[in-house]
Amino acid sequence: MAQDREAPVQIGSVQTLGRRRWWVDTAFDVVIYDEAHTTLFTQVGTRIRYETHPDAIHLAFTATP
């Protein structure tokens, strides 16, 4: 499947984001984390929150109690 970097919604795992760096310079208004108990603490998750997108709204979800 081809990437559409202009699409209003982007979905990617932390592994995918680690390989594809174009998102670093892309403005996101909202970032949603699935399995947040692990993804927030990865290098990519930390970089998104504190370096590349600190002004975005960050929503974190997990089913792990």
Side-chain angles (χ1 to χ4, degrees):
M1 177 183 254
Q3 296 178 38
D4 181 359
R5 297 178 184 178
E6 301 300 318
V9 174
Q10 298 290 327
I11 299 172
S13 68
V14 292
Q15 294 85 1
T16 299
L17 295 176
R19 288 191 306 270
R20 300 177 184 159
R21 298 291 184 183
W22 61 266
W23 58 268
V24 172
D25 297 321
T26 303
F28 294 118
D29 298 319
V30 178
V31 179
I32 300 172
Y33 303 88
D34 186 28
E35 299 299 330
H37 62 283
T38 58
T39 57
L40 286 176
F41 304 103
T42 64
Q43 286 181 339
V44 172
T46 301
R47 187 168 183 211
I48 290 170
R49 285 191 334 275
Y50 297 114
E51 295 176 26
T52 62
H53 299 84
D55 296 327
I57 295 169
H58 296 266
L59 302 173
F61 298 94
T62 187
T64 303

